[in-house]
Amino acid sequence: MHSETVAQLQQGLRARKYSAVELTRALLARIESAQPALNAFISIESEAALAAAAVADQRLAAGDAPALTGVPIAHKDIFCAAGSRTTCGSKMLSNFISPYDSTVVARLRAAGAVVLGKTNMDEFAMGSSNETSHFGPVRNPWNLKLVPGGSSGGSAAAVAARLVPAATATDTGGSIRQPAALCGVTGLKPTYGRVSRYGMIAFASSLDQAGVLARTAEDVALLLKPMAGFDPRDSTSVECEVPDYQAALNQPLKGLRIGLLKEFFDQGLDPRIEALLRTALEQLRAQGATLTDVSLPNLPLSVPTYYVVAPAECSSNLARFDGVRFGHRCENPRDLKDLYERSRGEGFGAEVKRRIMTGTYVLSAGYYDAYYLKAQRVRALIAADFERAFSTVDVLIGPTTPTVAFEIGAKTNDPVTMYLNDIYTIGANLAGLPGVSIPCGLVDGLPAGLQIVGPHFSEARLLNVAHRYQQESDWHQRTPEAYR
Ligand code: GLN
């Protein structure tokens, strides 16, 4: 059962090949046995999962079952779920039991999905390697010495190790696409505003977006459908129709205009990843797509721009965790100032503190114009570059990451080197665009990702291209040896 996709599980459950309870038990056992090595979960919710699975079985038997009934999933621990611990990977929230459901959690529950637990993540989603979690690093199922990518590393590792067929995730600067690439799974970051952010703990509100990690583009489509759509509780969610993503998957690629991002095929890219991308592009060409070179001259500025905008927004969003209104409170405070200082000092980890300090600095009087305002202007230039590109091509294709997975600890002492991992993913966030990463080969036995970025609300097209590629390749079916 663990090797089946969401689409196969839907059929298996409906044909009563196995019950939702049997399926849930089998996957919970896999999660338990993989947990010591991978650390992919922060909370394993066996009891609640088995109860939900029993209800799913009743609904399946009664013939009153929405699309995902009985399908096991996991949520990144950034999504509030009623009655469930929601830590965001931080000591600050290590004992927070959410009193309400985020929209993503509520909608997937309404669609029938059974939640097996909450996945590990970089603290407050700040990171590219899943090493900043208060609950310890997540390890890559392809090689336990390596990082899985971040910040949704727990979700990606869980899907790659076949512990769950799909998991939710979030992407502020690449945190869905990047771990998808390093773990060899498929990850979609939707258009900003496509999926509600209500109940998703905020990092950088103008960039954060919820999406899906799964094995195939088809499975991503199956989960995205119920997640997407307007939500009156998120003022940035967009009121526009949710297409039938599944129906669009098989559309032929004939006439598809692919732009190759000149700035993405630069010297920073591992030439072995470039070779895999060229092979994949040939496959798409053989299906009728055309390839053109495209330049986005301001794109190389995306990393410095992001690392001003994101910390600025995080310093504001995280101000609420003060030990009074929200979050960890220190023991025996001497006075109010001591309470604030020690609660925040004890509750946040080093990377979060670094971001809060950078963000406070770039927003402070005298520096605001020089840093924050300038970054916002460059952001507009980057968005305009993408818009210009999409007047001549339908999608842009490039790598997801410059290298395959690296060793745990290799970059933790050098934040700037770590930030440079995000070079290919951040542009889409700054412009609010959707992007998908799909496995396109192995380098020294480790997965590499191909990224497809499209205009706003082009998720159906992106999944279509990804699906057609997956019909002609089997990289997405490769499984790390220890988890077959
Ligand atoms: N790696 C980026 C960061 O550290 C992006 C994280 C994300 O997308 N949540 O901010």
Side-chain angles (χ1 to χ4, degrees), residues 250-254 256 287 461 464 468:
N250 265 315
Q251 202 186 318
L253 299 188
K254 190 158 172 31
L256 175 78
Q287 293 196 47
R461 192 55 160 156
N464 161 228
R468 294 296 300 214

Side-chain angles (χ1 to χ4, degrees), residues 76 124-128 150-151 170-176 178 203 208 306-307 310 351 355 418-419 422 426 429:
K76 183 176 182 178
F124 283 101
M126 296 172 198
S128 314
S151 65
T170 62
D171 193 310
T172 303
S175 282
I176 294 177
Q178 193 214 43
F203 161 12
D208 297 342
Y306 172 91
Y307 281 99
E351 183 60 28
R355 306 276 180 118
M418 187 68 95
Y419 297 166
D422 306 338
I426 280 176
N429 300 77

Side-chain angles (χ1 to χ4, degrees), residues 280-338:
L281 287 163
E282 276 316 306
Q283 283 191 35
L284 295 173
R285 205 219 299 260
Q287 293 196 47
T290 58
L291 309 180
T292 357
D293 286 319
V294 172
S295 173
L296 274 67
N298 294 297
L299 200 57
L301 298 171
S302 59
V303 173
T305 305
Y306 172 91
Y307 281 99
V308 171
V309 174
E313 293 183 15
C314 109
S315 72
S316 163
N317 273 326
L318 271 57
R320 74 192 67 171
F321 302 106
D322 56 7
V324 178
R325 291 168 302 168
F326 294 100
H328 166 81
R329 179 177 298 177
C330 68
E331 301 270 343
N332 308 319
R334 279 193 315 278
D335 52 28
L336 186 62
K337 190 158 173 284
D338 183 49

Side-chain angles (χ1 to χ4, degrees), residues 372-442:
Y372 187 68
L373 207 58
K374 192 177 271 174
Q376 291 290 31
R377 293 207 173 110
V378 179
R379 181 177 186 176
L381 293 175
I382 293 170
D385 272 5
F386 275 108
E387 209 170 307
R388 214 171 304 117
F390 289 128
S391 66
T392 58
V393 297
D394 302 310
V395 297
L396 293 163
I397 291 190
T400 309
T401 55
T403 64
V404 292
F406 47 88
E407 281 198 23
I408 292 178
K411 300 187 184 182
T412 32
N413 290 329
D414 183 357
V416 174
T417 309
M418 187 68 95
Y419 297 166
L420 284 170
N421 285 306
D422 306 338
I423 182 92
Y424 303 136
T425 49
I426 280 176
N429 300 77
L430 290 171
L433 301 168
V436 65
S437 177
I438 53 175
C440 69
L442 298 171

